[in-house]
Amino acid sequence: MAQIRVMGDDADEVTRVLEALLPLVNACTALVAGQPVELSKRGPGLRVVFELLPAGPGPVTVEQAGPATRTGARTPRRRALPG
């Protein structure tokens, strides 16, 4: 499970960062963010964590590619059959 943790000694600063970060993450169509959870503190400040998940498979497009070529590749040669 992928998580983002925002933590700092200044609770107001952490709150301002979250106010800027969460709309950016929520606007990303490739990710789904969970609800932020405040973690217990080990002193002053604020610790917040939220889970990130991939949004899931989107539409898949397949393009036909030309034949694969290798630069400098040797041409395969057959051994001559015994006479």
Side-chain angles (χ1 to χ4, degrees), residues 12-55:
D12 291 332
E13 181 179 80
V14 172
T15 301
R16 289 192 313 268
V17 168
L18 284 170
E19 288 173 351
L21 179 63
L22 287 174
L24 294 173
V25 172
N26 288 327
C28 178
T29 59
L31 297 172
V32 175
Q35 282 297 109
V37 175
E38 186 175 334
L39 301 176
S40 60
K41 296 182 242 178
R42 295 181 186 162
L46 183 62
R47 295 172 37 176
V48 178
V49 65
F50 59 92
E51 183 178 353
L52 283 179
L53 297 171

PDB file of all heavy atoms in Angstrom, residues 12-55:
ATOM      1  N   ASP A  12       0.316  24.400  11.660  1.00  0.00           N
ATOM      2  CA  ASP A  12      -0.260  25.293  10.651  1.00  0.00           C
ATOM      3  C   ASP A  12       0.401  25.089   9.290  1.00  0.00           C
ATOM      4  O   ASP A  12      -0.257  25.097   8.253  1.00  0.00           O
ATOM      5  CB  ASP A  12      -0.117  26.754  11.077  1.00  0.00           C
ATOM      6  CG  ASP A  12      -0.996  27.094  12.273  1.00  0.00           C
ATOM      7  OD1 ASP A  12      -2.056  26.437  12.441  1.00  0.00           O
ATOM      8  OD2 ASP A  12      -0.622  27.998  13.034  1.00  0.00           O
ATOM      9  N   GLU A  13       1.711  24.887   9.292  1.00  0.00           N
ATOM     10  CA  GLU A  13       2.427  24.665   8.042  1.00  0.00           C
ATOM     11  C   GLU A  13       1.993  23.340   7.398  1.00  0.00           C
ATOM     12  O   GLU A  13       1.771  23.264   6.191  1.00  0.00           O
ATOM     13  CB  GLU A  13       3.929  24.649   8.300  1.00  0.00           C
ATOM     14  CG  GLU A  13       4.759  24.454   7.040  1.00  0.00           C
ATOM     15  CD  GLU A  13       6.238  24.470   7.363  1.00  0.00           C
ATOM     16  OE1 GLU A  13       6.746  23.419   7.822  1.00  0.00           O
ATOM     17  OE2 GLU A  13       6.859  25.524   7.188  1.00  0.00           O
ATOM     18  N   VAL A  14       1.847  22.299   8.198  1.00  0.00           N
ATOM     19  CA  VAL A  14       1.393  21.005   7.675  1.00  0.00           C
ATOM     20  C   VAL A  14      -0.014  21.150   7.081  1.00  0.00           C
ATOM     21  O   VAL A  14      -0.292  20.625   6.001  1.00  0.00           O
ATOM     22  CB  VAL A  14       1.430  19.926   8.785  1.00  0.00           C
ATOM     23  CG1 VAL A  14       0.769  18.640   8.310  1.00  0.00           C
ATOM     24  CG2 VAL A  14       2.860  19.670   9.228  1.00  0.00           C
ATOM     25  N   THR A  15      -0.866  21.877   7.756  1.00  0.00           N
ATOM     26  CA  THR A  15      -2.225  22.098   7.257  1.00  0.00           C
ATOM     27  C   THR A  15      -2.206  22.840   5.928  1.00  0.00           C
ATOM     28  O   THR A  15      -2.932  22.473   4.996  1.00  0.00           O
ATOM     29  CB  THR A  15      -3.052  22.888   8.294  1.00  0.00           C
ATOM     30  OG1 THR A  15      -3.074  22.146   9.517  1.00  0.00           O
ATOM     31  CG2 THR A  15      -4.471  23.101   7.813  1.00  0.00           C
ATOM     32  N   ARG A  16      -1.367  23.863   5.799  1.00  0.00           N
ATOM     33  CA  ARG A  16      -1.276  24.612   4.539  1.00  0.00           C
ATOM     34  C   ARG A  16      -0.745  23.739   3.405  1.00  0.00           C
ATOM     35  O   ARG A  16      -1.222  23.815   2.274  1.00  0.00           O
ATOM     36  CB  ARG A  16      -0.402  25.857   4.721  1.00  0.00           C
ATOM     37  CG  ARG A  16      -1.050  26.944   5.554  1.00  0.00           C
ATOM     38  CD  ARG A  16      -0.315  28.281   5.484  1.00  0.00           C
ATOM     39  NE  ARG A  16       1.130  28.189   5.646  1.00  0.00           N
ATOM     40  CZ  ARG A  16       1.787  28.291   6.807  1.00  0.00           C
ATOM     41  NH1 ARG A  16       1.102  28.485   7.926  1.00  0.00           N
ATOM     42  NH2 ARG A  16       3.091  28.210   6.865  1.00  0.00           N
ATOM     43  N   VAL A  17       0.239  22.886   3.713  1.00  0.00           N
ATOM     44  CA  VAL A  17       0.767  21.976   2.696  1.00  0.00           C
ATOM     45  C   VAL A  17      -0.319  21.005   2.237  1.00  0.00           C
ATOM     46  O   VAL A  17      -0.493  20.764   1.040  1.00  0.00           O
ATOM     47  CB  VAL A  17       2.002  21.212   3.231  1.00  0.00           C
ATOM     48  CG1 VAL A  17       2.384  20.073   2.303  1.00  0.00           C
ATOM     49  CG2 VAL A  17       3.172  22.161   3.413  1.00  0.00           C
ATOM     50  N   LEU A  18      -1.072  20.460   3.177  1.00  0.00           N
ATOM     51  CA  LEU A  18      -2.157  19.542   2.813  1.00  0.00           C
ATOM     52  C   LEU A  18      -3.232  20.228   1.984  1.00  0.00           C
ATOM     53  O   LEU A  18      -3.774  19.633   1.054  1.00  0.00           O
ATOM     54  CB  LEU A  18      -2.770  18.924   4.068  1.00  0.00           C
ATOM     55  CG  LEU A  18      -1.949  17.837   4.737  1.00  0.00           C
ATOM     56  CD1 LEU A  18      -2.535  17.486   6.099  1.00  0.00           C
ATOM     57  CD2 LEU A  18      -1.863  16.612   3.854  1.00  0.00           C
ATOM     58  N   GLU A  19      -3.543  21.486   2.320  1.00  0.00           N
ATOM     59  CA  GLU A  19      -4.543  22.229   1.553  1.00  0.00           C
ATOM     60  C   GLU A  19      -4.099  22.443   0.111  1.00  0.00           C
ATOM     61  O   GLU A  19      -4.920  22.538  -0.784  1.00  0.00           O
ATOM     62  CB  GLU A  19      -4.845  23.565   2.235  1.00  0.00           C
ATOM     63  CG  GLU A  19      -5.655  23.420   3.505  1.00  0.00           C
ATOM     64  CD  GLU A  19      -5.795  24.736   4.270  1.00  0.00           C
ATOM     65  OE1 GLU A  19      -5.118  25.736   3.917  1.00  0.00           O
ATOM     66  OE2 GLU A  19      -6.569  24.754   5.244  1.00  0.00           O
ATOM     67  N   ALA A  20      -2.803  22.513  -0.122  1.00  0.00           N
ATOM     68  CA  ALA A  20      -2.284  22.662  -1.487  1.00  0.00           C
ATOM     69  C   ALA A  20      -2.103  21.306  -2.164  1.00  0.00           C
ATOM     70  O   ALA A  20      -2.341  21.166  -3.363  1.00  0.00           O
ATOM     71  CB  ALA A  20      -0.954  23.415  -1.456  1.00  0.00           C
ATOM     72  N   LEU A  21      -1.683  20.293  -1.408  1.00  0.00           N
ATOM     73  CA  LEU A  21      -1.349  18.988  -1.972  1.00  0.00           C
ATOM     74  C   LEU A  21      -2.574  18.153  -2.342  1.00  0.00           C
ATOM     75  O   LEU A  21      -2.619  17.550  -3.427  1.00  0.00           O
ATOM     76  CB  LEU A  21      -0.476  18.215  -0.980  1.00  0.00           C
ATOM     77  CG  LEU A  21      -0.053  16.816  -1.390  1.00  0.00           C
ATOM     78  CD1 LEU A  21       0.812  16.856  -2.644  1.00  0.00           C
ATOM     79  CD2 LEU A  21       0.689  16.142  -0.245  1.00  0.00           C
ATOM     80  N   LEU A  22      -3.566  18.100  -1.473  1.00  0.00           N
ATOM     81  CA  LEU A  22      -4.716  17.222  -1.705  1.00  0.00           C
ATOM     82  C   LEU A  22      -5.483  17.553  -2.990  1.00  0.00           C
ATOM     83  O   LEU A  22      -5.842  16.632  -3.731  1.00  0.00           O
ATOM     84  CB  LEU A  22      -5.637  17.215  -0.486  1.00  0.00           C
ATOM     85  CG  LEU A  22      -5.076  16.441   0.708  1.00  0.00           C
ATOM     86  CD1 LEU A  22      -5.968  16.610   1.926  1.00  0.00           C
ATOM     87  CD2 LEU A  22      -4.903  14.973   0.371  1.00  0.00           C
ATOM     88  N   PRO A  23      -5.747  18.829  -3.313  1.00  0.00           N
ATOM     89  CA  PRO A  23      -6.419  19.096  -4.591  1.00  0.00           C
ATOM     90  C   PRO A  23      -5.588  18.647  -5.797  1.00  0.00           C
ATOM     91  O   PRO A  23      -6.143  18.188  -6.800  1.00  0.00           O
ATOM     92  CB  PRO A  23      -6.605  20.615  -4.595  1.00  0.00           C
ATOM     93  CG  PRO A  23      -6.607  21.000  -3.165  1.00  0.00           C
ATOM     94  CD  PRO A  23      -5.650  20.049  -2.500  1.00  0.00           C
ATOM     95  N   LEU A  24      -4.269  18.752  -5.707  1.00  0.00           N
ATOM     96  CA  LEU A  24      -3.414  18.302  -6.809  1.00  0.00           C
ATOM     97  C   LEU A  24      -3.507  16.788  -6.985  1.00  0.00           C
ATOM     98  O   LEU A  24      -3.632  16.284  -8.108  1.00  0.00           O
ATOM     99  CB  LEU A  24      -1.960  18.706  -6.550  1.00  0.00           C
ATOM    100  CG  LEU A  24      -1.670  20.197  -6.556  1.00  0.00           C
ATOM    101  CD1 LEU A  24      -0.238  20.458  -6.108  1.00  0.00           C
ATOM    102  CD2 LEU A  24      -1.918  20.782  -7.930  1.00  0.00           C
ATOM    103  N   VAL A  25      -3.441  16.069  -5.880  1.00  0.00           N
ATOM    104  CA  VAL A  25      -3.528  14.612  -5.956  1.00  0.00           C
ATOM    105  C   VAL A  25      -4.911  14.187  -6.440  1.00  0.00           C
ATOM    106  O   VAL A  25      -5.038  13.288  -7.279  1.00  0.00           O
ATOM    107  CB  VAL A  25      -3.204  13.977  -4.585  1.00  0.00           C
ATOM    108  CG1 VAL A  25      -3.475  12.487  -4.590  1.00  0.00           C
ATOM    109  CG2 VAL A  25      -1.761  14.250  -4.206  1.00  0.00           C
ATOM    110  N   ASN A  26      -5.949  14.838  -5.945  1.00  0.00           N
ATOM    111  CA  ASN A  26      -7.310  14.477  -6.361  1.00  0.00           C
ATOM    112  C   ASN A  26      -7.582  14.819  -7.825  1.00  0.00           C
ATOM    113  O   ASN A  26      -8.434  14.196  -8.454  1.00  0.00           O
ATOM    114  CB  ASN A  26      -8.339  15.155  -5.453  1.00  0.00           C
ATOM    115  CG  ASN A  26      -8.357  14.537  -4.074  1.00  0.00           C
ATOM    116  OD1 ASN A  26      -8.123  13.352  -3.910  1.00  0.00           O
ATOM    117  ND2 ASN A  26      -8.622  15.351  -3.072  1.00  0.00           N
ATOM    118  N   ALA A  27      -6.869  15.798  -8.376  1.00  0.00           N
ATOM    119  CA  ALA A  27      -7.054  16.159  -9.786  1.00  0.00           C
ATOM    120  C   ALA A  27      -6.361  15.175 -10.715  1.00  0.00           C
ATOM    121  O   ALA A  27      -6.683  15.120 -11.900  1.00  0.00           O
ATOM    122  CB  ALA A  27      -6.516  17.572 -10.034  1.00  0.00           C
ATOM    123  N   CYS A  28      -5.445  14.393 -10.204  1.00  0.00           N
ATOM    124  CA  CYS A  28      -4.724  13.414 -11.018  1.00  0.00           C
ATOM    125  C   CYS A  28      -5.657  12.248 -11.327  1.00  0.00           C
ATOM    126  O   CYS A  28      -6.170  11.595 -10.426  1.00  0.00           O
ATOM    127  CB  CYS A  28      -3.482  12.930 -10.279  1.00  0.00           C
ATOM    128  SG  CYS A  28      -2.575  11.683 -11.196  1.00  0.00           S
ATOM    129  N   THR A  29      -5.869  11.973 -12.606  1.00  0.00           N
ATOM    130  CA  THR A  29      -6.778  10.895 -12.992  1.00  0.00           C
ATOM    131  C   THR A  29      -6.139   9.513 -12.867  1.00  0.00           C
ATOM    132  O   THR A  29      -6.837   8.515 -12.939  1.00  0.00           O
ATOM    133  CB  THR A  29      -7.262  11.096 -14.437  1.00  0.00           C
ATOM    134  OG1 THR A  29      -6.122  11.128 -15.300  1.00  0.00           O
ATOM    135  CG2 THR A  29      -8.050  12.387 -14.568  1.00  0.00           C
ATOM    136  N   ALA A  30      -4.841   9.449 -12.667  1.00  0.00           N
ATOM    137  CA  ALA A  30      -4.158   8.163 -12.553  1.00  0.00           C
ATOM    138  C   ALA A  30      -4.133   7.637 -11.119  1.00  0.00           C
ATOM    139  O   ALA A  30      -3.788   6.482 -10.900  1.00  0.00           O
ATOM    140  CB  ALA A  30      -2.734   8.291 -13.084  1.00  0.00           C
ATOM    141  N   LEU A  31      -4.507   8.481 -10.148  1.00  0.00           N
ATOM    142  CA  LEU A  31      -4.439   8.091  -8.744  1.00  0.00           C
ATOM    143  C   LEU A  31      -5.764   8.307  -8.035  1.00  0.00           C
ATOM    144  O   LEU A  31      -6.540   9.186  -8.398  1.00  0.00           O
ATOM    145  CB  LEU A  31      -3.372   8.918  -8.004  1.00  0.00           C
ATOM    146  CG  LEU A  31      -1.936   8.757  -8.469  1.00  0.00           C
ATOM    147  CD1 LEU A  31      -1.057   9.789  -7.775  1.00  0.00           C
ATOM    148  CD2 LEU A  31      -1.438   7.364  -8.198  1.00  0.00           C
ATOM    149  N   VAL A  32      -5.982   7.507  -7.007  1.00  0.00           N
ATOM    150  CA  VAL A  32      -7.123   7.690  -6.110  1.00  0.00           C
ATOM    151  C   VAL A  32      -6.545   7.839  -4.708  1.00  0.00           C
ATOM    152  O   VAL A  32      -5.786   6.987  -4.250  1.00  0.00           O
ATOM    153  CB  VAL A  32      -8.076   6.478  -6.157  1.00  0.00           C
ATOM    154  CG1 VAL A  32      -9.187   6.635  -5.140  1.00  0.00           C
ATOM    155  CG2 VAL A  32      -8.631   6.286  -7.557  1.00  0.00           C
ATOM    156  N   ALA A  33      -6.891   8.931  -4.046  1.00  0.00           N
ATOM    157  CA  ALA A  33      -6.372   9.205  -2.704  1.00  0.00           C
ATOM    158  C   ALA A  33      -7.410   8.821  -1.663  1.00  0.00           C
ATOM    159  O   ALA A  33      -8.603   9.089  -1.816  1.00  0.00           O
ATOM    160  CB  ALA A  33      -6.023  10.683  -2.567  1.00  0.00           C
ATOM    161  N   GLY A  34      -6.940   8.206  -0.585  1.00  0.00           N
ATOM    162  CA  GLY A  34      -7.816   7.890   0.532  1.00  0.00           C
ATOM    163  C   GLY A  34      -8.009   9.107   1.421  1.00  0.00           C
ATOM    164  O   GLY A  34      -7.439  10.177   1.190  1.00  0.00           O
ATOM    165  N   GLN A  35      -8.803   8.932   2.450  1.00  0.00           N
ATOM    166  CA  GLN A  35      -9.069  10.018   3.395  1.00  0.00           C
ATOM    167  C   GLN A  35      -7.833  10.269   4.260  1.00  0.00           C
ATOM    168  O   GLN A  35      -7.243   9.321   4.775  1.00  0.00           O
ATOM    169  CB  GLN A  35     -10.243   9.659   4.298  1.00  0.00           C
ATOM    170  CG  GLN A  35     -11.598   9.819   3.638  1.00  0.00           C
ATOM    171  CD  GLN A  35     -11.860  11.258   3.268  1.00  0.00           C
ATOM    172  OE1 GLN A  35     -11.845  11.588   2.093  1.00  0.00           O
ATOM    173  NE2 GLN A  35     -12.083  12.108   4.230  1.00  0.00           N
ATOM    174  N   PRO A  36      -7.441  11.516   4.446  1.00  0.00           N
ATOM    175  CA  PRO A  36      -6.316  11.818   5.340  1.00  0.00           C
ATOM    176  C   PRO A  36      -6.659  11.438   6.778  1.00  0.00           C
ATOM    177  O   PRO A  36      -7.779  11.636   7.236  1.00  0.00           O
ATOM    178  CB  PRO A  36      -6.149  13.329   5.210  1.00  0.00           C
ATOM    179  CG  PRO A  36      -6.848  13.702   3.954  1.00  0.00           C
ATOM    180  CD  PRO A  36      -7.941  12.709   3.762  1.00  0.00           C
ATOM    181  N   VAL A  37      -5.682  10.849   7.460  1.00  0.00           N
ATOM    182  CA  VAL A  37      -5.856  10.434   8.847  1.00  0.00           C
ATOM    183  C   VAL A  37      -4.746  11.085   9.671  1.00  0.00           C
ATOM    184  O   VAL A  37      -3.573  11.004   9.316  1.00  0.00           O
ATOM    185  CB  VAL A  37      -5.770   8.896   8.975  1.00  0.00           C
ATOM    186  CG1 VAL A  37      -5.837   8.466  10.426  1.00  0.00           C
ATOM    187  CG2 VAL A  37      -6.854   8.231   8.157  1.00  0.00           C
ATOM    188  N   GLU A  38      -5.135  11.708  10.770  1.00  0.00           N
ATOM    189  CA  GLU A  38      -4.148  12.320  11.661  1.00  0.00           C
ATOM    190  C   GLU A  38      -3.585  11.234  12.572  1.00  0.00           C
ATOM    191  O   GLU A  38      -4.330  10.502  13.223  1.00  0.00           O
ATOM    192  CB  GLU A  38      -4.797  13.427  12.482  1.00  0.00           C
ATOM    193  CG  GLU A  38      -3.807  14.192  13.316  1.00  0.00           C
ATOM    194  CD  GLU A  38      -4.447  15.368  14.045  1.00  0.00           C
ATOM    195  OE1 GLU A  38      -5.463  15.894  13.573  1.00  0.00           O
ATOM    196  OE2 GLU A  38      -3.899  15.735  15.104  1.00  0.00           O
ATOM    197  N   LEU A  39      -2.259  11.121  12.573  1.00  0.00           N
ATOM    198  CA  LEU A  39      -1.588  10.135  13.410  1.00  0.00           C
ATOM    199  C   LEU A  39      -1.298  10.722  14.781  1.00  0.00           C
ATOM    200  O   LEU A  39      -1.252  11.938  14.945  1.00  0.00           O
ATOM    201  CB  LEU A  39      -0.278   9.693  12.751  1.00  0.00           C
ATOM    202  CG  LEU A  39      -0.402   9.068  11.366  1.00  0.00           C
ATOM    203  CD1 LEU A  39       0.975   8.764  10.807  1.00  0.00           C
ATOM    204  CD2 LEU A  39      -1.255   7.818  11.411  1.00  0.00           C
ATOM    205  N   SER A  40      -1.079   9.842  15.746  1.00  0.00           N
ATOM    206  CA  SER A  40      -0.753  10.331  17.090  1.00  0.00           C
ATOM    207  C   SER A  40       0.575  11.074  17.044  1.00  0.00           C
ATOM    208  O   SER A  40       1.465  10.742  16.276  1.00  0.00           O
ATOM    209  CB  SER A  40      -0.679   9.162  18.075  1.00  0.00           C
ATOM    210  OG  SER A  40       0.310   8.247  17.663  1.00  0.00           O
ATOM    211  N   LYS A  41       0.675  12.088  17.884  1.00  0.00           N
ATOM    212  CA  LYS A  41       1.852  12.955  17.882  1.00  0.00           C
ATOM    213  C   LYS A  41       2.877  12.474  18.892  1.00  0.00           C
ATOM    214  O   LYS A  41       2.521  11.941  19.934  1.00  0.00           O
ATOM    215  CB  LYS A  41       1.449  14.387  18.213  1.00  0.00           C
ATOM    216  CG  LYS A  41       0.553  15.026  17.194  1.00  0.00           C
ATOM    217  CD  LYS A  41       0.256  16.444  17.586  1.00  0.00           C
ATOM    218  CE  LYS A  41      -1.227  16.578  17.811  1.00  0.00           C
ATOM    219  NZ  LYS A  41      -1.638  17.878  18.231  1.00  0.00           N
ATOM    220  N   ARG A  42       4.126  12.699  18.533  1.00  0.00           N
ATOM    221  CA  ARG A  42       5.228  12.430  19.462  1.00  0.00           C
ATOM    222  C   ARG A  42       5.894  13.746  19.828  1.00  0.00           C
ATOM    223  O   ARG A  42       7.097  13.859  19.828  1.00  0.00           O
ATOM    224  CB  ARG A  42       6.247  11.510  18.809  1.00  0.00           C
ATOM    225  CG  ARG A  42       5.724  10.149  18.518  1.00  0.00           C
ATOM    226  CD  ARG A  42       6.806   9.306  17.902  1.00  0.00           C
ATOM    227  NE  ARG A  42       6.250   8.033  17.503  1.00  0.00           N
ATOM    228  CZ  ARG A  42       6.814   7.218  16.652  1.00  0.00           C
ATOM    229  NH1 ARG A  42       7.962   7.549  16.086  1.00  0.00           N
ATOM    230  NH2 ARG A  42       6.258   6.083  16.352  1.00  0.00           N
ATOM    231  N   GLY A  43       5.111  14.714  20.078  1.00  0.00           N
ATOM    232  CA  GLY A  43       5.628  16.043  20.373  1.00  0.00           C
ATOM    233  C   GLY A  43       4.772  17.072  19.656  1.00  0.00           C
ATOM    234  O   GLY A  43       3.656  16.795  19.240  1.00  0.00           O
ATOM    235  N   PRO A  44       5.320  18.267  19.479  1.00  0.00           N
ATOM    236  CA  PRO A  44       4.536  19.317  18.826  1.00  0.00           C
ATOM    237  C   PRO A  44       4.383  19.035  17.338  1.00  0.00           C
ATOM    238  O   PRO A  44       5.121  18.263  16.742  1.00  0.00           O
ATOM    239  CB  PRO A  44       5.383  20.570  19.062  1.00  0.00           C
ATOM    240  CG  PRO A  44       6.771  20.061  19.186  1.00  0.00           C
ATOM    241  CD  PRO A  44       6.660  18.718  19.848  1.00  0.00           C
ATOM    242  N   GLY A  45       3.407  19.666  16.737  1.00  0.00           N
ATOM    243  CA  GLY A  45       3.230  19.552  15.296  1.00  0.00           C
ATOM    244  C   GLY A  45       2.059  18.673  14.909  1.00  0.00           C
ATOM    245  O   GLY A  45       1.158  18.417  15.699  1.00  0.00           O
ATOM    246  N   LEU A  46       2.125  18.203  13.663  1.00  0.00           N
ATOM    247  CA  LEU A  46       1.016  17.442  13.096  1.00  0.00           C
ATOM    248  C   LEU A  46       1.576  16.378  12.174  1.00  0.00           C
ATOM    249  O   LEU A  46       2.545  16.610  11.448  1.00  0.00           O
ATOM    250  CB  LEU A  46       0.095  18.396  12.323  1.00  0.00           C
ATOM    251  CG  LEU A  46      -1.171  17.849  11.697  1.00  0.00           C
ATOM    252  CD1 LEU A  46      -2.112  17.287  12.766  1.00  0.00           C
ATOM    253  CD2 LEU A  46      -1.876  18.950  10.921  1.00  0.00           C
ATOM    254  N   ARG A  47       0.978  15.184  12.215  1.00  0.00           N
ATOM    255  CA  ARG A  47       1.347  14.084  11.323  1.00  0.00           C
ATOM    256  C   ARG A  47       0.084  13.566  10.660  1.00  0.00           C
ATOM    257  O   ARG A  47      -0.842  13.133  11.337  1.00  0.00           O
ATOM    258  CB  ARG A  47       2.008  12.958  12.112  1.00  0.00           C
ATOM    259  CG  ARG A  47       3.315  13.353  12.730  1.00  0.00           C
ATOM    260  CD  ARG A  47       3.875  12.308  13.655  1.00  0.00           C
ATOM    261  NE  ARG A  47       3.631  10.956  13.174  1.00  0.00           N
ATOM    262  CZ  ARG A  47       4.091   9.878  13.760  1.00  0.00           C
ATOM    263  NH1 ARG A  47       4.806   9.970  14.849  1.00  0.00           N
ATOM    264  NH2 ARG A  47       3.839   8.683  13.282  1.00  0.00           N
ATOM    265  N   VAL A  48       0.051  13.618   9.328  1.00  0.00           N
ATOM    266  CA  VAL A  48      -1.125  13.184   8.571  1.00  0.00           C
ATOM    267  C   VAL A  48      -0.657  12.215   7.498  1.00  0.00           C
ATOM    268  O   VAL A  48       0.374  12.418   6.861  1.00  0.00           O
ATOM    269  CB  VAL A  48      -1.850  14.390   7.932  1.00  0.00           C
ATOM    270  CG1 VAL A  48      -3.036  13.943   7.097  1.00  0.00           C
ATOM    271  CG2 VAL A  48      -2.298  15.367   9.006  1.00  0.00           C
ATOM    272  N   VAL A  49      -1.429  11.166   7.290  1.00  0.00           N
ATOM    273  CA  VAL A  49      -1.099  10.173   6.274  1.00  0.00           C
ATOM    274  C   VAL A  49      -2.350   9.876   5.444  1.00  0.00           C
ATOM    275  O   VAL A  49      -3.467   9.950   5.951  1.00  0.00           O
ATOM    276  CB  VAL A  49      -0.549   8.874   6.926  1.00  0.00           C
ATOM    277  CG1 VAL A  49      -1.592   8.184   7.766  1.00  0.00           C
ATOM    278  CG2 VAL A  49      -0.010   7.931   5.885  1.00  0.00           C
ATOM    279  N   PHE A  50      -2.145   9.617   4.144  1.00  0.00           N
ATOM    280  CA  PHE A  50      -3.250   9.140   3.329  1.00  0.00           C
ATOM    281  C   PHE A  50      -2.728   8.152   2.302  1.00  0.00           C
ATOM    282  O   PHE A  50      -1.579   8.190   1.889  1.00  0.00           O
ATOM    283  CB  PHE A  50      -4.049  10.280   2.675  1.00  0.00           C
ATOM    284  CG  PHE A  50      -3.261  11.184   1.770  1.00  0.00           C
ATOM    285  CD1 PHE A  50      -3.178  10.939   0.409  1.00  0.00           C
ATOM    286  CD2 PHE A  50      -2.624  12.304   2.276  1.00  0.00           C
ATOM    287  CE1 PHE A  50      -2.464  11.782  -0.416  1.00  0.00           C
ATOM    288  CE2 PHE A  50      -1.915  13.147   1.455  1.00  0.00           C
ATOM    289  CZ  PHE A  50      -1.836  12.893   0.097  1.00  0.00           C
ATOM    290  N   GLU A  51      -3.586   7.214   1.934  1.00  0.00           N
ATOM    291  CA  GLU A  51      -3.239   6.132   1.028  1.00  0.00           C
ATOM    292  C   GLU A  51      -3.418   6.576  -0.421  1.00  0.00           C
ATOM    293  O   GLU A  51      -4.301   7.365  -0.734  1.00  0.00           O
ATOM    294  CB  GLU A  51      -4.154   4.940   1.317  1.00  0.00           C
ATOM    295  CG  GLU A  51      -3.870   3.716   0.504  1.00  0.00           C
ATOM    296  CD  GLU A  51      -4.784   2.559   0.875  1.00  0.00           C
ATOM    297  OE1 GLU A  51      -5.549   2.667   1.844  1.00  0.00           O
ATOM    298  OE2 GLU A  51      -4.738   1.568   0.168  1.00  0.00           O
ATOM    299  N   LEU A  52      -2.569   6.062  -1.289  1.00  0.00           N
ATOM    300  CA  LEU A  52      -2.691   6.300  -2.729  1.00  0.00           C
ATOM    301  C   LEU A  52      -2.829   4.973  -3.442  1.00  0.00           C
ATOM    302  O   LEU A  52      -2.101   4.028  -3.168  1.00  0.00           O
ATOM    303  CB  LEU A  52      -1.444   7.008  -3.276  1.00  0.00           C
ATOM    304  CG  LEU A  52      -1.302   8.481  -3.017  1.00  0.00           C
ATOM    305  CD1 LEU A  52      -0.004   8.984  -3.627  1.00  0.00           C
ATOM    306  CD2 LEU A  52      -2.458   9.246  -3.589  1.00  0.00           C
ATOM    307  N   LEU A  53      -3.772   4.903  -4.367  1.00  0.00           N
ATOM    308  CA  LEU A  53      -3.968   3.710  -5.186  1.00  0.00           C
ATOM    309  C   LEU A  53      -3.997   4.104  -6.650  1.00  0.00           C
ATOM    310  O   LEU A  53      -4.442   5.202  -6.998  1.00  0.00           O
ATOM    311  CB  LEU A  53      -5.298   3.037  -4.826  1.00  0.00           C
ATOM    312  CG  LEU A  53      -5.430   2.508  -3.411  1.00  0.00           C
ATOM    313  CD1 LEU A  53      -6.865   2.079  -3.140  1.00  0.00           C
ATOM    314  CD2 LEU A  53      -4.489   1.338  -3.207  1.00  0.00           C
ATOM    315  N   PRO A  54      -3.562   3.209  -7.537  1.00  0.00           N
ATOM    316  CA  PRO A  54      -3.719   3.496  -8.961  1.00  0.00           C
ATOM    317  C   PRO A  54      -5.210   3.535  -9.291  1.00  0.00           C
ATOM    318  O   PRO A  54      -6.000   2.799  -8.705  1.00  0.00           O
ATOM    319  CB  PRO A  54      -3.040   2.327  -9.664  1.00  0.00           C
ATOM    320  CG  PRO A  54      -2.414   1.498  -8.612  1.00  0.00           C
ATOM    321  CD  PRO A  54      -2.885   1.971  -7.280  1.00  0.00           C
ATOM    322  N   ALA A  55      -5.591   4.372 -10.219  1.00  0.00           N
ATOM    323  CA  ALA A  55      -7.006   4.523 -10.569  1.00  0.00           C
ATOM    324  C   ALA A  55      -7.544   3.296 -11.295  1.00  0.00           C
ATOM    325  O   ALA A  55      -8.737   3.151 -11.437  1.00  0.00           O
ATOM    326  CB  ALA A  55      -7.211   5.770 -11.420  1.00  0.00           C
TER     327      ALA A  55
END
